[in-house]
């Protein structure tokens, strides 16, 4: 897979906000917080044009019950996908557009790791 880096696009913020609303509607009260992470979250930074989400939920197991709803809005539901305690979704089967990382609120090590990387950028 080739990695393409592009100039910063202000539209990434709007794309994040729009998709965050759709994800919150699916997760409902289980959703505690949605963060824009990754290189597209950093103003004026060239980035691979994939919007990355960190979603913090009350109960991770409830997310599994929503697989069909995520798939209806274009996501591929990947389960833990190699990281215990995470739920991973991706959108765009040919040209990837979104990555979603979902963790339960008490998985602080992984949550802080994602936020620290964003903040470092």
């Amino acid at each position: 897979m080739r990695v393409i880096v592009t100039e910063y696009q202000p539209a990434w913020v709007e794309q994040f906000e729009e998709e965050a609303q759709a994800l919150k509607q699916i997760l409902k009260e289980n959703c505690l917080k949605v963060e824009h992470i990754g290189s597209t979250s950093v103003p004026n930074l060239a980035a691979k044009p994939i919007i990355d989400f960190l979603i913090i939920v009350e109960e991770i197991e409830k997310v599994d019950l929503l697989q069909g709803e995520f798939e209806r809005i274009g996501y591929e539901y990947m389960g833990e996908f190699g990281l215990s305690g995470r739920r991973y979704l991706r959108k765009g089967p040919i040209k990837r557009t979104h990555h979603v990382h979902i963790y339960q609120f008490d998985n602080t090590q992984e949550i802080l790791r994602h936020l620290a990387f964003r903040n470092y950028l």
Side-chain angles (χ1 to χ4, degrees), residues 6-50:
T6 63
E7 293 297 316
Y8 177 77
Q9 304 294 315
W12 289 336
V13 175
E14 295 168 24
Q15 292 167 358
F16 165 78
E17 291 294 338
E18 183 178 304
E19 197 72 13
Q21 287 306 314
L23 294 165
K24 287 177 190 177
Q25 285 179 352
I26 292 172
L27 291 163
K28 298 184 180 16
E29 69 280 347
N30 194 30
C31 181
L32 300 176
K33 190 164 191 161
V34 179
E35 292 277 347
H36 190 180
I37 60 171
S39 54
T40 62
S41 69
V42 181
N44 302 312
L45 181 68
K48 69 178 176 14
I50 300 172

Side-chain angles (χ1 to χ4, degrees), residues 11 13 16 21 28 31 76 80 98 100 113-115 118:
V13 175
F16 165 78
Q21 287 306 314
K28 298 184 180 16
C31 181
E76 183 179 6
E80 288 187 330
H98 300 78
V100 178
R113 181 178 67 83
H114 284 284
L115 294 174
R118 179 202 55 199

Side-chain angles (χ1 to χ4, degrees), residues 58-81:
E58 184 76 30
E59 295 181 56
I60 197 72
E61 292 82 13
K62 286 185 177 180
V63 176
D64 295 324
L65 303 174
L66 302 169
Q67 179 176 345
E69 292 188 49
F70 290 116
E71 289 172 350
R72 275 190 278 289
I73 65 167
Y75 282 93
E76 183 179 6
Y77 195 84
M78 307 295 293
E80 288 187 330
F81 202 61

